[in-house]
Amino acid sequence: MDQPAETWSFDVAVEHGPNRTRAQLVLRTPEGQEFSGVGLAHRSGPARIAGYLALGRAMSDLTEELVEAATAELEAETGGVWRA
């Protein structure tokens, strides 16, 4: 690899309520852009397990946002339609 590594950072917040768990994942790029994903899980068992599920869903949501952003930037730069 010819370019130096970039450092991207994540912030994770998990909130446990009586019936559900909510996770939010925020990704920050070196340029200052932010992307966010949110996930929810019904809480009927241990909070730890609901946290895993909510965070997994937040990661999936974040993945969709990143793919959409990349597709939009590619289309803007090339003037074409991209399918991710």
Side-chain angles (χ1 to χ4, degrees):
M1 293 185 209
D2 297 335
Q3 297 181 354
E6 297 178 342
T7 300
W8 294 41
S9 63
F10 282 101
D11 285 324
V12 178
V14 179
E15 300 170 359
H16 298 286
N19 298 316
R20 73 173 187 156
T21 297
R22 180 183 187 275
Q24 182 171 12
L25 181 64
V26 177
L27 173 65
R28 289 180 184 81
T29 70
E31 296 83 24
Q33 289 177 289
E34 287 189 3
F35 299 94
S36 179
V38 174
L40 301 173
H42 178 72
R43 186 167 167 214
S44 59
R48 178 185 77 256
I49 295 171
Y52 294 161
L53 184 55
L55 186 53
R57 289 175 175 164
M59 289 177 175
S60 179
D61 188 38
L62 176 63
T63 298
E64 289 180 30
E65 186 175 337
L66 287 168
V67 170
E68 287 174 13
T71 301
E73 284 193 32
L74 283 168
E75 289 177 351
E77 286 185 21
T78 64
V81 175
W82 286 81
R83 292 194 177 108

